[in-house]
Amino acid sequence: MATPPENSANPNSREKILDVAEALFARQGFAGISMSDIALRVGLGKSSLFHHFSGKLELYAEVCERVLDRIGERVRPALEGSGDAPERLDVAIGLLCDTLAEHPNTARLLLRALVENELFPEADREQLEAANRAVAELVGALTTVLREGVQTGAFREVSLPDATQTVIGAVVLHFASGEVGEAILGEPIFSTKAVARRKREVTDFIHCALVQHSKLEGS
Amino acid sequence: MATPPENSANPNSREKILDVAEALFARQGFAGISMSDIALRVGLGKSSLFHHFSGKLELYAEVCERVLDRIGERVRPALEGSGDAPERLDVAIGLLCDTLAEHPNTARLLLRALVENELFPEADREQLEAANRAVAELVGALTTVLREGVQTGAFREVSLPDATQTVIGAVVLHFASGEVGEAILGEPIFSTKAVARRKREVTDFIHCALVQHSKLEGS
DNA sequence: GTCTATACGATGATAGAC
DNA sequence: GTCTATCATCGTATAGAC
């Protein structure tokens, strides 16, 4: 059960490093965190990190991948599942909220992945390929649901790319908004009460925004 | 007309520095940009920046202030203007889109101001006070419009803080989404065509999300 | 107001002992 | 796998000439 898959001695350090790096990168960004910062919080020497990851960028890339996979695993099945488009969208948004709420770093890292691509010079982009692909697939799955909803007449006739962007912004920003968000809410963002309300509110918001209200009955 | 207000010799450098710093900070973040980077692009020596700004943080704070003032000047009058809540909200969203579209850095910097507050240690927060106050005032004005809309029955009964967060995310993220956004759109984000469509689409989206559709006539 | 020179700590990364 | 050096580089910031 606890058998390490490979011949390395302490494969647990990798995950501990990834956990710490995820938290720090999420709040301070790639440039804002040093390898020493991470090592210090893990309880290792700085050099030890380089034994597990070939460099800072590779560590960052793996952190992003892990986060995006975590989201994709839960949200994509819902987007691609059964039911009509509005149902699938509602469920997917709820699951995305759950995922973003369970780990406070996720939304920030996702935001960075969406917004901070050109931070890295051309030469290094290849290392982030997997993360970028994960983003593209998630976004694509969302657009597909929206397209189906429009085609079946369940949704208003919206611009698909714009609606995709709007939905993402509406859901994700809140969970990344930190202190400003708490000031707006007047309570912690990640309290179970606030999360439950948030889930209901965004889902309703987006549902109302898209679902055709003056819909004529018939096919 | 071109009289410098003070006794300094070349007050134009300040603005040139602020322009360059705004562009660089927006794309790379505070930690991602060095004073040398900025100086190089301005065409000055690194040390000259310290003659205009007491340090990196002060420069960053002034950049943020300028951007937030730029937004506030156009959007707040609309939020606090005349007309009923849905009208004012529509107009304000349109103006926010215009402002974010006119200068491609604005949205990113606004996002950072919303999301990256705790990046700075307690000791340095005071320098960002003005920027934080500007954010709070803008957000407050938005919430006030939403509150009025709900009270008059024009809007659905939504959670005000959640709706505020949702609206901001829906509008702002798009203009900050850079390469990923362009991949979604299939065209440049800031082309006049894309901006015009975007403006229409978000305004409609939010309008539909909030305005009561099964509204009963009467007071 | 801008420059050159410089101080000096922190950074990413490597080499090699244990 | 982890550590202790160590390196070259780059970071912010200052001092002082022009």
Side-chain angles (χ1 to χ4, degrees):
Chain A
M1 196 209 252
T3 315
E6 288 298 334
N7 56 351
S8 51
N10 185 4
N12 261 38
S13 286
R14 263 189 75 94
E15 297 212 2
K16 234 194 274 188
I17 295 171
L18 283 169
D19 287 338
V20 169
E22 180 182 314
L24 294 180
F25 281 141
R27 306 212 173 264
Q28 314 260 48
F30 177 78
I33 286 298
S34 73
M35 295 295 265
S36 326
D37 292 332
I38 299 168
L40 196 76
R41 290 262 297 246
V42 176
L44 285 179
K46 187 177 36 160
S47 320
S48 303
L49 302 192
F50 290 91
H51 184 261
H52 295 279
F53 304 91
S54 76
K56 192 188 179 186
L57 186 61
E58 187 187 284
L59 172 54
Y60 183 70
E62 286 206 38
V63 166
C64 290
E65 260 183 77
R66 223 177 45 143
V67 166
L68 288 164
D69 286 348
R70 199 192 297 154
I71 299 173
E73 270 171 32
R74 290 186 57 183
V75 175
R76 283 189 57 192
L79 288 172
E80 297 161 354
S82 58
D84 63 8
E87 276 172 36
R88 273 185 288 153
L89 184 60
D90 283 356
V91 173
I93 290 171
L95 287 171
L96 179 53
C97 285
D98 288 341
T99 313
L100 299 180
E102 273 165 26
H103 216 68
N105 313 311
T106 309
R108 293 196 182 212
L109 227 32
L110 180 56
L111 249 189
R112 291 195 195 278
L114 282 166
V115 155
E116 282 187 342
N117 246 3
E118 52 260 49
L119 199 147
F120 304 97
E122 284 275 340
D124 304 330
R125 299 279 180 92
E126 43 183 321
Q127 296 203 47
L128 299 165
E129 198 199 88
N132 289 330
R133 195 169 25 78
V135 170
E137 283 173 6
L138 260 172
V139 168
L142 172 56
T143 303
T144 300
V145 172
L146 295 177
R147 181 182 302 113
E148 187 191 307
V150 171
Q151 280 172 349
T152 61
F155 291 154
R156 292 162 40 226
E157 283 212 7
V158 295
S159 150
L160 294 176
D162 283 283
T164 302
Q165 294 262 78
T166 308
V167 168
I168 295 172
V171 178
V172 176
L173 185 66
H174 172 263
F175 290 103
S177 62
E179 290 179 357
V180 173
E182 308 218 330
I184 296 176
L185 282 208
E187 69 184 320
I189 293 180
F190 293 101
S191 78
T192 56
K193 197 186 89 181
V195 169
R197 188 190 60 237
R198 176 69 196 167
K199 204 172 146 178
R200 182 167 29 85
E201 291 282 335
V202 238
T203 309
D204 286 354
F205 192 99
I206 293 169
H207 188 93
C208 292
L210 290 175
V211 169
Q212 199 121 229
H213 47 270
S214 58
K215 188 188 177 185
L216 302 174
E217 288 300 313
S219 140
Chain B
M1 195 210 251
T3 315
E6 287 298 333
N7 56 350
S8 51
N10 184 5
N12 261 38
S13 286
R14 262 189 76 94
E15 296 212 2
K16 234 194 275 189
I17 295 171
L18 284 169
D19 287 339
V20 169
E22 180 182 314
L24 294 180
F25 281 141
R27 306 213 174 265
Q28 314 260 48
F30 178 77
I33 286 298
S34 73
M35 294 297 263
S36 326
D37 293 332
I38 298 169
L40 197 76
R41 289 262 297 246
V42 177
L44 284 179
K46 190 179 26 165
S47 320
S48 303
L49 302 192
F50 290 90
H51 184 263
H52 295 278
F53 304 92
S54 76
K56 192 189 180 185
L57 186 60
E58 187 187 284
L59 172 54
Y60 182 71
E62 287 206 37
V63 165
C64 291
E65 260 185 78
R66 225 177 43 142
V67 165
L68 288 164
D69 287 347
R70 198 192 296 154
I71 299 173
E73 271 172 30
R74 290 187 57 185
V75 175
R76 283 189 58 192
L79 287 173
E80 297 162 352
S82 58
D84 63 7
E87 276 171 37
R88 273 185 288 154
L89 184 61
D90 282 357
V91 173
I93 291 171
L95 286 172
L96 179 54
C97 286
D98 288 341
T99 313
L100 299 179
E102 273 164 28
H103 217 69
N105 312 311
T106 310
R108 292 196 183 211
L109 227 31
L110 180 56
L111 249 189
R112 291 194 195 279
L114 282 166
V115 155
E116 282 187 342
N117 245 5
E118 52 259 49
L119 198 147
F120 304 96
E122 283 275 342
D124 303 330
R125 299 280 179 93
E126 42 181 324
Q127 295 204 49
L128 298 165
E129 198 200 88
N132 288 332
R133 195 169 25 78
V135 170
E137 283 173 6
L138 260 172
V139 167
L142 172 57
T143 303
T144 299
V145 172
L146 295 178
R147 181 182 301 113
E148 188 192 307
V150 171
Q151 280 172 348
T152 60
F155 292 154
R156 292 163 37 227
E157 284 211 5
V158 295
S159 151
L160 293 177
D162 283 284
T164 302
Q165 294 262 77
T166 307
V167 168
I168 295 171
V171 178
V172 176
L173 185 67
H174 172 263
F175 290 103
S177 62
E179 289 178 359
V180 173
E182 308 220 329
I184 295 175
L185 282 207
E187 69 184 320
I189 292 179
F190 292 101
S191 77
T192 56
K193 198 185 88 181
V195 169
R197 188 190 60 237
R198 176 69 196 167
K199 205 173 145 179
R200 182 168 28 86
E201 291 282 336
V202 237
T203 309
D204 285 355
F205 191 99
I206 293 169
H207 188 94
C208 291
L210 290 175
V211 169
Q212 198 122 229
H213 47 271
S214 59
K215 188 188 177 185
L216 301 175
E217 288 300 314
S219 139

